[in-house]
Amino acid sequence: MTWRQLWVKIVGNMLVIDKSFLNHVLKELFTREALLELATGFLAVVFFRTLPNQKAELVRVVNKGINLQTLAIGNGTNYILMIQTANICVDVLGKEGMQAVNLCSYAIAKSRFLHKLLFVYGNWSDSSNSRIIHHIFYKEIICISGCLQFQGWV
């Protein structure tokens, strides 16, 4: 197979890669690092027609290379390996069965609900986490100042 038969395309600020190119890239460590460096320069990276173990390996490469939270979105049993390696996983219910739903953090009925899940509930989660952190700091300041005042240090 020559490099001309491998499929890589740049569309706008998005990188599109197929499984034959990905198969060659995942063989060596330096090519994985090069792919990771290339992919971080784009707003979106799409891998199509990939095998389940390739999907899981991509999630592992991103987890080790960038050390960020990864979100895996799948719609059936073909995505189980990827879902197990990702930090957060979302499954879109489909005809393939309920096995992937049992492993996921979130399950949605249709893919059109994905926007609401990511942007609305994600924003609510961030705001509730920030309120909890502020509450913990306030509680600790009150408790420590009470202890210090009781001991006569203030």
Side-chain angles (χ1 to χ4, degrees):
M1 179 176 291
T2 64
W3 285 98
R4 291 181 184 173
Q5 293 171 335
L6 302 176
W7 207 85
V8 177
K9 188 171 184 180
I10 299 172
V11 181
N13 203 1
M14 180 175 72
L15 180 66
V16 182
I17 298 174
D18 76 332
K19 77 174 177 182
S20 59
F21 179 78
L22 194 59
N23 198 20
H24 289 290
V25 168
L26 293 177
K27 286 181 181 177
E28 298 292 331
L29 181 63
F30 72 93
T31 55
R32 289 179 187 193
E33 293 170 357
L35 175 67
L36 189 62
E37 186 177 334
L38 175 70
T40 54
F42 291 93
L43 289 177
V45 181
V46 177
F47 299 96
F48 70 98
R49 303 258 187 235
T50 57
L51 301 172
N53 58 352
Q54 288 177 333
K55 296 172 192 171
E57 191 61 33
L58 281 170
V59 173
R60 276 190 216 103
V61 166
V62 171
N63 277 340
K64 289 180 183 176
I66 303 177
N67 199 16
L68 293 174
Q69 296 284 323
T70 53
L71 169 70
I73 302 170
N75 65 349
T77 57
N78 200 17
Y79 296 90
I80 289 178
L81 286 173
M82 178 182 66
I83 285 170
Q84 288 176 335
T85 56
N87 299 106
I88 304 164
C89 51
V90 177
D91 187 56
V92 182
L93 296 175
K95 297 177 182 177
E96 294 185 10
M98 299 293 285
Q99 188 175 7
V101 174
N102 295 331
L103 299 171
C104 284
S105 306
Y106 301 97
I108 55 176
K110 295 182 180 179
S111 59
R112 67 181 176 154
F113 301 138
L114 189 61
H115 181 270
K116 187 174 182 181
L117 176 71
L118 293 178
F119 294 108
V120 176
Y121 291 113
N123 188 17
W124 288 351
S125 174
D126 284 346
S127 63
S128 66
N129 286 339
S130 65
R131 281 195 303 261
I132 288 172
I133 290 170
H134 285 278
H135 176 73
I136 289 171
F137 282 136
Y138 178 75
K139 179 188 67 128
E140 292 299 321
I141 289 171
I142 296 297
C143 290
I144 289 173
S145 65
C147 290
L148 291 177
Q149 189 176 11
F150 178 72
Q151 292 181 357
W153 288 1
V154 175

